[in-house]
Amino acid sequence: MIWQTTRFEIDLRRPQVMGIVNATPDSFSDGGRDAAAACAHCDMLVAQGADILDIGGESTRPGSPRPTPDEELARVLPVLRHAVTLGVPVSVDTSQPQVMAAALQLGVDIINDVRALRVPGAAEVVAAHPGCGVCLMHMQGEPETMQLAPAYQDVVAEVMQFLRDAADALRAQGVAAQRIVLDPGYGFGKTVAHNLGLIRQQEALLALGYPLLVGLSRKSTLGTVTGRPVGDRLIPSVAAALAATERGARVLRVHDVAETVDALKVFAAIGLPRWAQQD
């Protein structure tokens, strides 16, 4: 199973650890503050074993306002310029076509879009590129309002249909299936019950025929389950990451890279996960 990206063919037979680098003013421990700190965070995550770096300049926490494209560019471009020199695939976490285009000009490998290329012009930027990877995520609503009253008749079926439609639309523009990964969007317009139900039935999404990228790290659902504040959710996050791999996730977007890498090594050595028994 290969994820085709700009510079790399990423082998997804082993789950990949995607390290989070947030170049945002409200970042708590994953870059932020300024470009120098974010670049140093990239270096640290690679040293800890990150397979992929994911760099974003828009906070998508519930209630967060959206920056302008110029603000987002100012935050991410210095970090992306550094990250593409580190020898690992680099993803830009953005919904803005201008940011996507500028990042791809730098050689960035993956467009990771929480809005699944719904901003006008975004799909065209990806389709015009000869080989970048793309992650399409499900989100009900927008970050400013998504947690006010999320509602579903059947969360699994509705997430699946949304992702199917998004992938089909991109394929219709000529983007190869090998370039596409899907993200169920845990915490994005979903209650705790929605998130837990979706995790339990995550394997159903594999029927869509695309690899799954999952971001559960430090999410509020884990805080509700454990009673832990956001800075004290390391163990819940690693446990959730392992559960996600058992249910088919091939890319884990995490804050705590070293601990997740170690947990996956132990999991594989025991031979417990199904992916560890595959060739």
Side-chain angles (χ1 to χ4, degrees), residues 14-50:
R14 173 183 64 81
Q16 303 287 292
V17 176
M18 173 184 271
I20 298 169
V21 183
N22 283 326
T24 54
D26 64 347
S27 173
F28 51 88
S29 64
D30 42 23
R33 298 180 298 282
D34 55 44
C39 290
H41 199 68
C42 290
D43 295 342
M44 183 187 75
L45 295 185
V46 171
Q48 290 179 345

Side-chain angles (χ1 to χ4, degrees), residues 73-162:
L73 283 166
R75 293 173 183 177
V76 301
L77 286 184
V79 188
L80 293 172
R81 288 192 188 98
H82 175 71
V84 296
T85 71
L86 298 179
V88 299
V90 176
S91 166
V92 61
D93 184 353
T94 185
S95 299
Q96 296 298 332
Q98 302 98 308
V99 180
M100 295 177 187
L104 292 173
Q105 287 179 354
L106 293 176
V108 163
D109 301 284
I110 298 160
I111 302 298
N112 181 17
D113 186 3
V114 299
R115 296 177 178 85
L117 304 180
R118 288 179 289 166
V119 173
E124 287 74 15
V125 171
V126 171
H129 193 275
C132 70
V134 60
C135 179
L136 306 172
M137 195 194 81
H138 175 273
M139 175 169 59
Q140 187 181 90
E142 287 290 326
E144 297 93 330
T145 58
M146 64 186 180
Q147 290 305 112
L148 294 180
Y152 300 86
Q153 293 295 317
D154 183 330
V155 65
V156 177
E158 291 174 49
V159 168
M160 181 178 288
Q161 188 61 54
F162 174 94

Side-chain angles (χ1 to χ4, degrees), residues 120 178 188 267 270:
Q178 292 81 3
F188 285 81
F267 216 39
I270 295 170

